[in-house]
Amino acid sequence: MDLSGIKGVIFDLDGTLVESSLNFSQMREDIGCPQDEDILTFIDNMVCEQEKAKANHAILQHELTDAQNAKWLPLGKQMVDKVLENNLPIAIVTRNCREASAIKIANNRIPIEFVLTREDAPTKPDPTALLHIAQHWQLQPEDCLYVGDFIYDQLAAENAGMQWLLV
């Protein structure tokens, strides 16, 4: 990971810093979401509040179960250590819920306190969370690096005008 010219680094959580065994096919099936549709968008577009609440609860249960078993990915730990060695500000932006994110971070002693979840900002690929962090750090987006493992991470970084690294 090249940090030349980088003034702040934001990481995705699942698949980037920690392993994840979320079964998205099963999650979609459990809530009646088509396999080719984004789960969170599907839930947001539900009209019936009772069905929306049931779907959110089902997703939460999957996330909390996954959180209990999530372990540091060796590359993720190496990247975080490198950022910390370079004394750069560091944060996490994840589509996970706050509760599951907190469990993963605490269980693995991930030394990152600035965490934005789907409860804090629109979900990736929307750039809002990334831009909020850059603004908080008083940095230009192009001086920040977003590191992730999925196309939504790349799109969020591009939408924010940030550099990105796909792992």
Side-chain angles (χ1 to χ4, degrees):
M1 178 169 64
D2 182 11
L3 296 176
S4 303
I6 301 297
K7 296 179 181 174
V9 180
I10 307 167
F11 288 97
D12 172 47
L13 185 58
D14 287 1
T16 302
L17 297 182
V18 298
E19 63 188 21
S20 174
S21 59
L22 285 172
N23 182 338
F24 289 100
S25 292
Q26 184 63 54
M27 291 166 69
R28 283 183 179 90
E29 187 176 314
D30 289 353
I31 65 169
C33 176
Q35 290 297 321
D36 61 345
E37 192 168 335
D38 179 75
I39 293 172
L40 298 178
T41 302
F42 177 80
I43 294 172
D44 284 345
N45 290 334
M46 287 180 153
V47 176
C48 175
E49 290 302 317
Q50 187 175 11
E51 288 299 314
K52 186 182 283 194
K54 279 177 57 178
N56 276 317
H57 180 75
I59 299 305
L60 176 64
Q61 293 313 304
H62 280 277
E63 288 180 329
L64 292 176
T65 299
D66 178 63
Q68 296 301 327
N69 303 312
K71 301 289 183 239
W72 265 112
L73 288 168
L75 180 60
K77 184 161 181 13
Q78 290 171 5
M79 290 186 297
V80 167
D81 289 345
K82 183 172 182 175
V83 173
L84 294 174
E85 288 167 12
N86 283 273
N87 294 312
L88 297 174
I90 190 170
I92 293 173
V93 169
T94 178
R95 286 171 55 102
N96 261 304
C97 68
R98 188 176 297 124
E99 188 177 357
S101 298
I103 292 168
K104 291 175 182 187
I105 291 165
N107 286 353
N108 291 286
R109 296 187 193 101
I110 297 173
I112 302 174
E113 295 178 11
F114 195 177
V115 180
L116 295 182
T117 67
R118 69 172 176 258
E119 289 97 342
D120 302 310
T123 58
K124 300 174 284 183
D126 185 292
T128 302
L130 299 180
L131 293 170
H132 173 78
I133 291 171
Q135 182 179 18
H136 177 80
W137 289 340
Q138 297 180 345
L139 296 175
Q140 294 301 312
E142 58 268 19
D143 294 328
C144 298
L145 175 67
Y146 185 60
V147 182
D149 70 313
F150 191 65
I151 187 67
Y152 287 167
D153 300 315
Q154 178 183 346
L155 293 172
E158 289 174 350
N159 291 339
M162 290 185 178
Q163 299 178 56
W164 59 273
L165 175 64
L166 197 61
V167 295

